[in-house]
Amino acid sequence: MTEQPDTSVRDLADIPSVEVISRAAVMLMSSAAEKLGLADEDPDTSPRRDLDEARRVITALAGLVTASVEYLGPHAGPIREGLQSLQRAFREASAHPDAPGKGPGEKYTGPVH
């Protein structure tokens, strides 16, 4: 029995860096949205809502986006908009919102209102 290579798996060396960065950003965005409870009908009562975890993921996303924006080309705009939407959603979900510039990732992006 001969094993056939799995053609659905790509070698990381063959994937352009912009695709790797974009996929990582999308994964972080999805995680943040889940942790904000945005996947549920009522985010306020979501059993998955965890603002501490959301803060960490949003901050990591902000660092990635800020560090790689020059390489993202046309992908930069939509990814930045997604990040800002998550930052605003975090602020709205917080019982005691952070001061401007102190929210998740804002040390990298600047204040988000």
Side-chain angles (χ1 to χ4, degrees), residues 49-111:
R49 180 177 267 188
D50 185 336
L51 296 183
D52 186 49
E53 286 287 308
R55 176 184 296 279
R56 293 173 190 187
V57 176
I58 293 169
T59 299
L61 173 62
L64 174 66
V65 171
T66 301
S68 60
V69 71
E70 68 183 286
Y71 308 116
L72 293 173
H75 302 281
I79 291 172
R80 279 180 147 166
E81 289 171 15
L83 169 58
Q84 289 173 352
S85 293
L86 290 166
Q87 289 172 310
R88 282 192 293 275
F90 183 93
R91 184 171 298 282
E92 290 172 14
S94 297
H96 303 285
D98 297 312
K102 299 295 183 187
E106 291 183 4
K107 68 180 177 182
Y108 301 114
T109 64

